[in-house]
Amino acid sequence: MPRSLLFLIADTGGGHRAAATAVSHYLDRAHPGEFSVEIVDPFASASPRLLGRTAGLYGPLIQRAPWLWGGMFHATNSRTMVRTAELVMRSVDPAIARLMTTLEPAAVVSFHPLLNRAAVRARRRLGLRVPLVTAVTDLVDVHAFWASPDVDLVIVASPGGLDRCRRNRVPADRLVQVGLPVDAGFSEGASDPGSRRARRLHLGIDPDRFTVLVCSGADGSGAIDRRARVLAGSGLDISLVVICGRNQRAYNGLAGLHDQMDRPVSVHGFVTNMAEWMTAADIVVTKAGPGTIAEALCAGLPLLITWYLPGQERGNMEWLIDTGAGRYVPGDAELVDEVAELAAPGSPSLLSMRAAVAQLARPEATAEVAELIRSVAMKLS
Ligand code: UDP
């Protein structure tokens, strides 16, 4: 009989679900039949519905008022504010308590900053011994919400994450730095030009043309449509793949682009095969989302960062610049210039960025995170 594992996420963006899914896929492959993993967004069934709806506002908020998001991030980024915000967050507790009671999980893992403390409260209220793990899905700037000192293990992806959790009194023996879990598909055949060509043929894109993937998180924020148009109209000899995610407005607006251009352009809404697209591309043009960055690194892709969400993503952009794996190109003219430079035959910049990408990629992080969760879950049973 497989033991149950409860993974808590929220569909605010796509990174939380992607990390949880990557760990779940690894456990299925490496330890078949051992666990049954439930990935649940408790905000979706929170009571009152107001809280669920508030979580659903994340996408529109970061599209239309990212400055407001940035302001909220910084204003709440302290232990005092976290304690205050907890009063509001309590309405998600019953949903988590119900899940813990019905699933009787061997461990509960929070992949979302707003759910760690809710899991601690539910465990206390139910008088359970179930181990709690936090798997931090941000890269560099880790909000105080993530750092609950009362869970059994906190897994972070960077020295910045370690530092933030230490300052928020997470005991050193419950803190470990690994990396962001990324699905294995992102690194399969990533450095093999033959597989890249085969994937392009399979996806119906030119196998021989320099391929630029434009995406911007699950919500397609940061003027993805404008940037796609600029590249499509640039006259550069490239293949363009645009993934708008849940940004229906951008997708509708770009739908006719394919027919207007003399270069191949392939436009998509939300895709469930991001690994295929990434491992078919040469570079990625994106916002500084942690999930996309970790995936692109595993896929061997240099990154051009056009935008970052104020708050948790600025540090990601700076880290990529410092390491040489990415460049920041907020302006349209700069974007075209950078793509032209990287797409040029034998581009030395492309080679040096690829070398930096290879240094940073952590495809083994998924297995390490999953094995840590497994060992915590095994301890109790
Ligand atoms: N993603 C996806 N399909 C899409 C767009 C995005 O599966 O059409 C995934 C992407 O592969 C990544 C996640 O959504 O795993 C985006 O995470 P990130 O941290 O980059 O940004 P967020 O959406 O959380 O702001």
Side-chain angles (χ1 to χ4, degrees):
M1 180 76 175
R3 270 160 297 185
S4 160
L5 288 178
L6 174 58
F7 288 4
L8 300 173
I9 60 141
D11 286 313
T12 48
H16 309 290
R17 184 176 286 278
T21 306
V23 172
S24 169
H25 284 170
Y26 169 86
L27 289 171
D28 277 350
R29 256 196 330 273
H31 306 287
E34 207 170 276
F35 295 106
S36 155
V37 177
E38 293 286 333
I39 301 177
V40 185
D41 175 353
F43 289 106
S45 58
S47 171
R49 287 291 300 136
L50 180 64
L51 190 68
R53 279 201 281 273
T54 309
L57 286 177
Y58 176 83
L61 176 65
I62 65 162
Q63 300 268 11
R64 293 191 194 136
W67 51 270
L68 180 58
W69 173 263
M72 280 160 44
F73 179 96
H74 293 297
T76 56
N77 198 4
S78 69
R79 275 191 301 134
T80 317
M81 285 310 293
V82 166
R83 276 197 295 273
T84 310
E86 268 192 282
L87 298 174
V88 182
M89 296 305 304
R90 279 174 194 275
S91 47
V92 84
D93 294 10
I96 295 181
R98 261 195 313 277
L99 287 162
M100 284 190 185
T101 311
T102 48
L103 295 172
E104 296 181 15
V108 178
V109 187
S110 166
F111 291 85
H112 195 278
L114 299 181
L115 296 171
N116 325 301
R117 285 175 167 78
V120 169
R121 287 192 298 271
R123 174 171 72 174
R124 201 176 293 139
R125 207 171 95 196
L126 296 169
L128 298 174
R129 285 173 55 225
V130 56
L132 304 181
V133 179
T134 300
V136 175
T137 61
D138 276 315
L139 272 174
V140 178
D141 288 327
V142 170
H143 193 281
F145 273 128
W146 279 112
S148 168
D150 300 318
V151 302
D152 302 280
L153 183 67
V154 181
I155 305 169
V156 297
S158 69
L162 271 187
D163 182 50
R164 161 59 73 176
C165 289
R166 278 197 196 115
R167 280 190 284 133
N168 281 279
R169 305 194 179 162
V170 177
D173 61 346
R174 293 193 210 157
L175 198 50
V176 52
Q177 182 191 329
V178 182
L180 271 194
V182 167
D183 226 272
F186 287 91
S187 33
E188 274 159 17
S191 52
D192 170 19
S195 328
R196 197 168 295 265
R197 203 170 184 283
R199 264 185 301 267
R200 286 181 187 170
L201 284 168
H202 179 243
L203 292 166
I205 53 177
D206 188 329
D208 300 314
R209 212 183 284 256
F210 189 86
T211 302
V212 178
L213 171 63
V214 180
C215 57
S216 204
D219 297 300
S221 50
I224 185 172
D225 39 357
R226 193 190 78 225
R227 303 187 205 273
R229 274 181 202 291
V230 163
L231 286 175
S234 66
L236 294 174
D237 187 17
I238 55 172
S239 249
L240 198 59
V241 176
V242 186
I243 297 181
C244 303
R246 296 189 280 253
N247 188 341
Q248 194 63 35
R249 196 182 44 81
Y251 175 68
N252 293 341
L254 292 173
L257 204 58
H258 184 266
D259 305 324
Q260 295 159 21
M261 296 295 147
D262 56 353
R263 301 270 176 252
V265 182
S266 154
V267 180
H268 307 266
F270 192 89
V271 300
T272 52
N273 61 341
M274 188 61 104
E276 266 194 89
W277 289 108
M278 275 212 190
T279 49
D282 288 295
I283 60 169
V284 64
V285 173
T286 178
K287 83 176 174 89
T292 303
I293 290 173
E295 291 164 357
L297 296 176
C298 287
L301 302 188
L303 297 104
L304 294 182
I305 302 295
T306 47
W307 188 70
Y308 57 85
L309 185 60
Q312 72 267 40
E313 290 183 356
R314 186 192 169 97
N316 300 344
M317 177 273 289
E318 291 168 343
W319 175 65
L320 286 173
I321 295 173
D322 288 349
T323 53
R327 292 180 179 175
Y328 181 48
V329 284
D332 294 346
E334 290 165 278
L335 174 61
V336 172
D337 288 351
E338 289 289 348
V339 172
E341 186 185 334
L342 297 178
S347 164
S349 299
L350 184 70
L351 290 180
S352 78
M353 287 179 86
R354 273 193 190 144
V357 164
Q359 288 287 314
L360 296 185
R362 295 272 292 114
E364 66 285 5
T366 315
E368 290 174 19
V369 170
E371 292 297 346
L372 280 167
I373 292 169
R374 179 170 178 259
S375 64
V376 168
M378 302 291 251
K379 238 179 234 164
L380 195 71
S381 24

